[in-house]
Amino acid sequence: MSFGIKDCKVYRLADAGGASPGWTLLFKPAPYFLPQQCVREQLAFDGKYIQIEIGTQALGAGGCCTTYAAYRSQDGENWQIRRSTSTEKWQTLGTPK
């Protein structure tokens, strides 16, 4: 399974069953009422989990993050989410569409 990240949007390479594979959107930042920019994105594998972290910042603001989420999965199908940098608690997330 292959994953990619660009501008705080996370993609998975989809097997097209013999046709050309394509990238499908897996996760994106939560909506925010002001324009925002991607300031934190990380995609890593620690030997046990695929770990993804994305964070945005309102334009003209400092620090991180207007929106933030960390995701992890052991199989690339079943995901957990951590919605804040101030918690270590992971919650089960439904399978992304």
Side-chain angles (χ1 to χ4, degrees):
M1 214 173 271
S2 296
F3 298 90
I5 189 168
K6 182 177 182 184
D7 297 327
C8 285
K9 293 180 182 170
V10 181
Y11 300 89
R12 177 174 37 209
L13 188 59
D15 181 9
S20 295
W23 292 97
T24 56
L25 182 63
L26 190 61
F27 301 113
K28 65 181 181 178
Y32 192 69
F33 67 95
L34 293 173
Q36 55 188 345
Q37 62 185 356
C38 181
V39 294
R40 180 180 290 181
E41 57 182 19
Q42 180 178 341
L43 176 62
F45 180 67
D46 68 1
K48 184 176 181 181
Y49 289 101
I50 301 161
Q51 297 193 54
I52 298 165
E53 189 175 8
I54 55 177
T56 62
Q57 174 185 47
L59 291 177
C64 183
C65 292
T66 304
T67 64
Y68 171 86
Y71 304 92
R72 72 179 185 180
S73 174
Q74 290 182 313
D75 61 8
E77 296 292 330
N78 301 294
W79 293 89
Q80 295 177 316
I81 185 170
R82 188 178 52 147
R83 299 182 192 276
S84 170
T85 57
S86 63
T87 183
E88 294 295 319
K89 184 177 180 181
W90 292 91
Q91 298 173 328
T92 301
L93 181 67
T95 304
K97 303 278 188 266

